[in-house]
Amino acid sequence: MKELQYKLMSNDNAQQSVSIIADMQSSPRDFEIEAGDLDMPIPILPARNMVIFPKVFHPMLIGRSSSLRLVKAAEHKNALIGVFCQKKADVENPQAQDLHPVGVVARVSRIFEMPGGHVTAIVHALYRARLGGIVDELPYLRGRVKIDPEKEVDEKSDHFKMLFESIRDTLVNNQQELEIVPELAFNIRTLPVQSETVSVMCSNLSMDVQDKILLLEKNDVEERMFSLLQILGRQVKLAQIKASIQQKAKQTIDQQQRTYFLQQQMKMIQDELGISNGVADTHDEAFRLRRIAVFKEWNDNVKEVFNKELLKFEKLYPQNGEYATMLTYLETMLAVPWGQFTKDTLNLKKAQRTLNSRHYGLEKVKERILEHLAVLKLKGNMKSPILCFYGPPGVGKTSLGRSIAEAMGRKYVRISLGGMHDESEIRGHRRTYIGAMPGQIVKSLIKAKSYNPVFVLDEIDKVCSSHNGDPSAALLEVLDPEQNKAFHDNYLEVDVDLSHVMFIATANDLSTIPKPLLDRLELIEVSSYITEEKVEIARKHLVPKQMEENGMKKENVKFSKAALETIVEDYTRESGVRQLEKMIGKVLRKVALKYALDETVQLIDIKPDNLTDYLGMKLYSRDKYQGNEYAGVVTGLAWTAVGGEILFVETSLSKGKGGRLTLTGNLGDVMKESAMLALEFIKAHASLLQIDQEVFDNWNIHIHVPEGAIPKDGPSAGITMATSIASALTQRKVKAGIAMTGEITLRGKVLPVGGIREKILAAKRAGIKEVILCEENRKDIEEIEEIYLKGLTFHYVNNVKEVFEMALLKSKVADPIDLTVPKEEHEEKSEK
């Protein structure tokens, strides 16, 4: 047994302990002990990182003073001890819970003083045992131990022999993987086939403590052998994987070193020949680009194109004209954030608070944004919609895009399309051109450093075409969810996936956007603000912003609500709030001057009474309703780029042969046609208004719309002109406090018009009480908030006859014009 022990000792153990065991004359006599609890507690020797198997001699290095006392007492008395491995090697004073429950009962055969002051004890393991508990800790551990002997095994059976041979072959054939020295491998071949050999191998082979505990737990020797075979197989596999990884790493390092040495040699040769070190610099640059490219998450196509271009670049000298172009292209490819996504913030309540804090009103717009976030949260992924906010200037269309990006937790990029006339600005230039660069889309991706930002395409209605192409046509691919997942940039020459980008377009006038492009947009109207909304926006947002920009504090200046309303009504004429913000800034600069000149100035209260001191005289005056004392004067409603306005249509009559029609007031073609349609309808239905047909031959009609310096166009004044002509020809009064809007046809049918919300607000500001609209515009009125409709009565009509019945009174104006034709003139005309 001792000779067997020598053969399987590791090198370290062999040098320090094998000779000691060899000098032993004989092992102590083993007493037969029956299975079960021992009669009395025995000393417990804790072992660090060491598991001993039954029937094995094993050296143990003794370090603790308590362990030294234990082994000396056990040797002297030839007493039994329990050897149990610690669960954690760094525990200095282990208790029962710190020891593995399975171990061995052993005797201390001999103790030796080793060089360096170390003490080594030779322990002879006898039986498997289980620890029942610790009963005493001083002068060393003592505990209850239960003998748990191994089952009998038939060492001559074929099954035992085959298991043993499999273990032997595994050890011999995998010496390097299992770190077995050649001498040990040679001795393994001659080991006897018996169970003691298995215990010796389990004790001395290099394995984890947990694996050895697992083997010691096996009560059946054959099961232990099978588990040992599995553990050895796993160790061999892990060792092979480790070797493979190391080999690959070595090859990579060798290749890099080889490349470096070759580059240095080329550099030295070029220096000797007087040639610049261009090639070496090129290879250094290529190596840097290749190292960055390793971390890029691009698809196979992009990777193939990049590697192909990089190989071309490596063959260029810096003096080559294409060197800088190729380097710029490769760096651009690396700058594109391929597959780098930001995580969407899908907290709808937080997004709602963000939108509400930044934008007053705009309920439909904010609702649509929250709908998108809700779908994104439920589905996890979706095609980003192409939203288009359209409306007059200054209502917050562009700032909505920034708020959406913040609410979603995405990067924000604004692309200005106003005045863009070159298609290459979108698709990029081909690399064959001097100064070629990628398009604005790819540039913006690089700027955002994200593959799913929010792009705001500002002023999409102001894109214009030229001999360089039509940028709006290039936008068709960008803004089509079915196509933009493979957007082709001419500079990169690879497809870029834009399906994750959320595009938001802004526009003032939809009529200038090409129909195919308009079809790809989801239109959301951002209408103009009414006075009450502008006052709230100024109070909550504009005043605090301007106070900060002008160095003012709350204790320095105070804006009253009436003052803000006066600024909106008398000093601005716009649909948005840009001019309002400028006026507030102008007031605060005046206030800042006062504080700078006189530091004793207290709180300055801005009121309507003192606004002229800061802003001067009023700039605008809103049109007010002028009454119905004149025939032919009718109030109409118009939409302008700065909101709704009321306008007056005036019709006058003058004697003249031929019945000439004159139109003035800087009217557009459509508006002129509306006037002619209205006159022709009244001529065709003169009997309806009891108008003598002779009037049209003897009176000239002049239609004028005031403010001739302002261009006016559109069909919405059709019924207004018809009513004005009818009032002038009949000299009947127009109903007081009434306004109207609607298109007229030659048959007298009234058609719907747009801009209803702005027109209604203009009517309310002017003091109008009743409004006549087309029946089909009823749905537009129903969408307006009730608070804006308070004080107005609406009449819905389908034809001009209904308009006349509602708008024209039976009574005539004071001093009406006599339109009757003299009898002699009538007879003379009849004779002719």
Side-chain angles (χ1 to χ4, degrees), residues 501-520:
V501 179
M502 185 174 185
F503 289 98
I504 298 175
T506 68
N508 299 128
D509 186 6
L510 298 180
S511 63
T512 60
I513 302 177
K515 295 297 181 182
L517 183 58
L518 194 63
D519 183 59
R520 287 162 167 78

Side-chain angles (χ1 to χ4, degrees), residues 82 166 202 222 267 314 365 381 420 456 540 552 563 590 618 668 748:
S166 297
C202 291
E222 290 189 353
K267 185 176 179 180
E314 289 180 319
V365 180
N381 188 16
M420 184 178 290
V456 173
K540 294 182 179 180
M552 293 286 101
K590 297 280 188 183
K618 295 181 180 179

Side-chain angles (χ1 to χ4, degrees), residues 1 53 365 407 470 577 823:
M1 187 65 198
F53 286 77
V365 180
D470 186 0
V577 291
K823 184 178 179 180

Side-chain angles (χ1 to χ4, degrees), residues 752-773:
V753 292
I756 295 298
R757 184 175 184 271
E758 287 78 7
K759 292 177 180 179
I760 295 305
L761 298 178
K764 190 174 181 180
R765 284 197 304 266
I768 300 296
K769 302 298 182 183
E770 300 179 59
V771 178
I772 298 177
L773 298 166

Side-chain angles (χ1 to χ4, degrees), residues 38-203:
L38 296 177
D39 296 337
M40 57 186 299
I42 63 173
I44 303 299
L45 178 62
R48 301 179 196 262
N49 297 324
M50 181 183 295
V51 180
I52 305 176
F53 286 77
K55 305 176 184 179
V56 173
F57 284 92
H58 208 289
M60 294 183 65
L61 184 65
I62 306 301
R64 299 187 184 97
S65 58
S66 60
S67 299
L68 183 60
R69 288 194 294 270
L70 185 152
V71 296
K72 286 183 177 180
E75 182 195 27
H76 179 70
K77 298 177 183 180
N78 194 27
L80 295 175
I81 64 171
V83 182
F84 294 89
C85 183
Q86 294 181 196
K87 294 179 180 178
K88 293 183 179 179
D90 55 352
V91 178
E92 288 298 326
N93 299 305
Q95 303 298 317
Q97 64 271 15
D98 298 321
L99 302 175
H100 286 287
V102 63
V104 294
V105 170
R107 281 196 174 91
V108 179
S109 297
R110 191 168 298 180
I111 300 174
F112 295 97
E113 296 288 340
M114 304 297 291
H118 301 294
V119 176
T120 298
I122 305 300
V123 176
H124 182 199
L126 303 174
Y127 305 101
R128 282 176 75 256
R130 291 192 175 274
L131 181 61
I134 301 297
V135 298
D136 196 3
E137 298 181 8
L138 295 175
Y140 40 75
L141 294 180
R142 295 173 65 248
R144 294 185 299 273
V145 175
K146 180 180 180 179
I147 300 298
D148 187 11
E150 298 170 342
K151 294 181 180 180
E152 293 291 334
V153 60
D154 184 5
E155 297 179 354
K156 296 182 179 181
S157 67
D158 293 338
H159 188 265
F160 181 87
K161 292 179 180 179
M162 292 306 297
L163 279 174
F164 192 90
E165 290 299 329
S166 297
I167 295 172
R168 192 205 305 270
D169 293 343
T170 303
L171 293 172
V172 173
N173 296 331
N174 300 280
Q175 301 176 37
Q176 184 176 356
E177 290 81 357
L178 296 175
E179 300 177 358
I180 299 175
V181 295
E183 296 80 1
L184 180 59
F186 175 78
N187 292 330
I188 287 174
R189 295 187 179 94
T190 62
L191 289 175
V193 181
Q194 56 188 25
S195 58
E196 287 83 354
T197 307
V198 178
S199 296
V200 173
M201 287 191 293
C202 291
S203 294

